[in-house]
Amino acid sequence: VEPNVQYDPSALKTTAELVGGEYKLDGVKSFVPLANTAETLLIFAAEEGTTQAFLVPRDTPGLTVGEQEKQMGMDALATYTVTLEDCTIPQQNKLGGDQGCDIELILTHARVASSAMAVGVARASYEFARNYALEREAFGEPIASRQAIAFMLAEMAIDIDAARLMVWEAAWRLDQGLEANKEAYLAKVFADEMVVRVTDGGVQVLGGYGYIREFPVELWLRNGRGFAALTGIAMV
């Protein structure tokens, strides 16, 4: 992604210009996983109004990998900022050759994968909160028997199943070789909002315990908040 407000993968600020049989890349990328140890980076850049992808060796002059980014969640995979200044690569390093790549197809697959991960994070928070509510007693009965808690857990379960079915539909269409841009986009939009609602509900069910790191629900909330930033916005 790029460090811009409302990052749009179809309108990148990073540019690629073909000059004398070589591409010159300029721009800044963020959330680049394992950039400090990768031998080659896949860089998306705007070339004459379209988004294309380029293979850039990490030791290419003009490519600089910054310090590891500090995020509120998603710490399992180290990410970095990458800066490209007059970064020159051979023309054959363009993904897909002269024809280029199909950015919409790449984004469709990425949105399905991201939405599936969001469903998993939400399900983990829901199941932990449900089990806690069944075991935790207050005034002589499990807190799951209290209407406010029961309704919250029910809404969490509905949200998760709705998102899961949307992801399955988009994935099925991809497996069948059908166009799935719209289905993947809608699944991503819903999953991004769903995972925040559900993981926040998980914290609420645990009450004060939900806010301390002895319990994992606060981690799932922090991780869930990051999904909206993974693939940016798009128009359908």
Side-chain angles (χ1 to χ4, degrees):
V1 302
E2 295 182 341
N4 302 313
V5 176
Q6 289 192 319
Y7 157 70
D8 185 347
S10 64
L12 298 177
K13 302 298 183 182
T14 301
T15 60
E17 182 181 4
L18 183 60
V19 180
E22 294 181 319
Y23 276 104
K24 185 180 73 170
L25 278 67
D26 289 279
V28 179
K29 297 292 184 179
S30 57
F31 295 149
V32 182
L34 305 178
N36 66 325
T37 57
E39 294 181 0
T40 304
L41 283 74
L42 180 63
I43 301 292
F44 289 90
E47 180 191 8
E48 298 181 351
T50 64
T51 298
Q52 297 297 333
F54 304 86
L55 297 172
V56 184
R58 188 166 60 91
D59 59 359
T60 302
L63 188 152
T64 304
V65 177
E67 297 294 324
Q68 181 176 341
E69 294 170 326
K70 295 181 179 180
Q71 303 170 143
M72 66 180 290
M74 295 188 174
D75 291 331
L77 186 63
T79 63
Y80 301 82
T81 298
V82 173
T83 303
L84 303 106
E85 296 180 349
D86 291 332
C87 191
T88 303
I89 58 173
Q91 184 175 352
Q92 59 264 31
N93 283 29
K94 179 180 177 179
L95 195 67
D98 293 336
Q99 183 178 355
C101 66
D102 185 345
I103 184 61
E104 284 303 323
L105 183 60
I106 293 173
L107 285 172
T108 296
H109 281 83
R111 286 168 181 149
V112 171
S114 174
S115 300
M117 289 190 288
V119 170
V121 170
R123 180 179 176 182
S125 182
Y126 161 72
E127 291 183 349
F128 190 96
R130 179 199 61 195
N131 294 339
Y132 177 88
L134 290 171
E135 296 172 1
R136 175 71 171 174
E137 291 191 358
F139 303 103
E141 62 181 3
I143 63 172
S145 63
R146 299 303 176 94
Q147 192 175 70
I149 299 296
F151 281 7
M152 183 180 297
L153 289 170
E155 290 173 357
M156 292 162 69
I158 292 169
D159 265 350
I160 293 168
D161 276 356
R164 180 186 291 112
L165 290 172
M166 294 178 74
V167 174
W168 279 351
E169 180 186 13
W172 178 84
R173 292 184 66 86
L174 285 176
D175 285 345
Q176 301 303 310
L178 302 173
E179 188 277 326
N181 290 358
K182 177 181 178 181
E183 288 77 11
Y185 177 77
L186 294 178
K188 178 71 165 61
V189 170
F190 184 78
D192 287 348
E193 297 174 350
M194 176 279 300
V195 69
V196 175
R197 285 197 301 269
V198 171
T199 54
D200 182 64
V203 171
Q204 292 186 55
V205 169
L206 268 70
Y209 287 135
Y211 202 65
I212 63 177
R213 293 196 173 183
E214 182 180 348
F215 295 87
V217 288
E218 60 83 27
L219 169 65
W220 290 321
L221 174 57
R222 289 187 288 111
N223 287 347
R225 192 63 188 88
F227 279 99
L230 290 181
T231 56
I233 62 173
M235 301 299 293
V236 177

